[in-house]
Amino acid sequence: MIDDPMDRIAAALERISPPPGAAPDFDGASAFLWHVEPDRLAPVADVNGVALELLVGIERARDTLHANTLQFAKGFAANNALLWGARGMGKSSLVKAVHGDIVASGLPLKLVEVQREDLPSIGRLLNLLRGAEHRFVLYCDDLSFSHDDQHYKSLKAVLDGGIEGRPENVIFYATSNRRHLMPRDMIENERGSAINPSEAVEEKVSLSDRFGLWLGFHACDQDEYLAMIDGYCAAYGVEIDADTLRAEAIEWQQTRGGRSGRVAWQYFTDLAGRRGLQV
């Protein structure tokens, strides 16, 4: 029974905001999901990803990100990376594929996925990872900010680190459809309504400048689209007449209103299913 008023207050505060869970066994998994309320890292038993060699049409971005991540995994200097551009062109798949390839080589690299809405808790996550023996890639998928969104200020903690500095064993990768992480109309509105337009925009636009690597992803052409599907067929042993494959694949992308790596995979999934295969 709690009699002391201070003890009752402390007990009430603990119920409202439970203490963070203990650090997980980082040797038990190669990837984790960051959750809050309470703070915890949940291990991911099986990362949903594709093999690095199956990512066709993004070779330059693939090689650059792989080299940067390999440097980091070996304990050398490396940059935070922003993967931006067209939807469905393999940005998130590339992050997971690079991580999987490096883990398969025997390096103890960990991938930690952070949801955009949990960015205000990023400082607590960094404190949990700081001093750990492993090296961590923090990863935020589909990152962007609206005009009244202040979460971008929390992101500076992991990009710049403030007075304490970003832990040397942590790097940050983000994917976004926007190069500057802000909608263009928002940037223009800031310029038009602010007393000092350049200063009003600078803080928000400069956020993307804090990423050392900018890797652009652009919509693929038809040859690249078909090459992606050919690669999937070869990897999974699917045999199909070349003319039939071409006709079906083109018809499929026409019904989707465009071409992308995601559309190529969706067609291949349909093809494999018709052939009685699991992928």
Side-chain angles (χ1 to χ4, degrees):
M1 181 176 180
I2 301 176
D3 295 323
D4 187 273
M6 296 303 295
D7 289 340
R8 290 199 299 271
I9 293 173
L13 290 175
E14 185 170 329
R15 288 192 299 272
I16 295 172
S17 180
D25 175 14
F26 288 123
D27 291 323
S30 65
F32 298 84
L33 295 175
W34 172 243
H35 298 286
V36 297
E37 298 181 357
D39 294 350
R40 64 196 187 280
L41 282 166
V44 178
D46 186 17
V47 177
N48 178 29
V50 300
L52 193 63
E53 60 270 16
L54 291 181
L55 298 178
V56 176
I58 56 172
E59 286 81 4
R60 182 175 181 180
R62 179 196 66 196
D63 294 345
T64 301
L65 190 69
H66 189 276
N68 189 70
T69 311
L70 186 60
Q71 289 170 200
F72 174 72
K74 290 181 175 180
F76 305 140
N79 276 304
N80 300 311
L82 174 62
L83 290 71
W84 68 275
R87 293 187 296 271
M89 281 305 298
K91 297 184 294 293
S92 59
S93 295
L94 178 58
V95 173
K96 292 181 286 188
V98 165
H99 166 256
D101 185 76
I102 290 177
V103 168
S105 72
L107 292 171
L109 182 66
K110 307 300 177 183
L111 184 67
V112 178
E113 183 169 4
V114 180
Q115 300 299 319
R116 190 199 66 83
E117 57 268 23
D118 292 331
L119 285 176
S121 69
I122 201 76
R124 302 196 301 272
L125 174 57
L126 293 181
N127 287 334
L128 188 61
L129 303 181
R130 191 184 305 273
E133 296 180 357
H134 301 80
R135 302 185 71 76
F136 301 91
V137 174
L138 301 193
Y139 160 60
C140 188
D141 189 28
D142 198 19
L143 181 62
S144 63
F145 302 100
S146 60
H147 70 280
D148 58 350
D149 193 340
Q150 298 298 308
H151 286 4
Y152 74 92
K153 294 182 178 179
S154 302
L155 184 55
K156 292 181 180 179
V158 67
L159 297 178
D160 291 341
I163 190 171
E164 193 172 18
R166 175 168 53 87
E168 63 85 24
N169 64 331
V170 173
I171 201 170
F172 187 79
Y173 288 173
T175 69
S176 178
N177 296 330
R178 301 167 179 162
R179 183 176 183 179
H180 290 297
L181 303 178
M182 308 285 178
R184 182 178 296 276
D185 60 344
M186 171 186 165
I187 295 174
E188 295 304 323
N189 287 340
E190 290 276 10
R191 286 197 177 100
S193 61
I195 296 176
N196 190 324
S198 61
E199 289 184 3
V201 175
E202 182 64 23
E203 181 183 20
K204 295 174 180 177
V205 172
S206 67
L207 181 63
S208 58
D209 291 338
R210 289 173 164 84
F211 291 89
L213 283 182
W214 283 10
L215 301 176
F217 290 71
H218 307 284
C220 61
D221 60 26
Q222 184 166 286
D223 288 342
E224 290 171 332
Y225 168 72
L226 295 172
M228 294 173 188
I229 297 172
D230 286 338
Y232 294 143
C233 289
Y236 288 94
V238 175
E239 296 183 0
I240 181 173
D241 176 72
D243 291 337
T244 302
L245 176 65
R246 179 183 178 86
E248 288 188 0
I250 292 175
E251 180 181 5
W252 184 275
Q253 62 93 10
Q254 288 173 341
T255 65
R256 298 303 184 275
R259 293 181 292 266
S260 70
R262 181 178 296 131
V263 172
W265 177 255
Q266 290 169 345
Y267 165 72
F268 175 74
T269 299
D270 177 77
L271 174 62
R274 286 186 277 122
R275 298 299 179 95
L277 298 175
Q278 292 183 337
V279 296

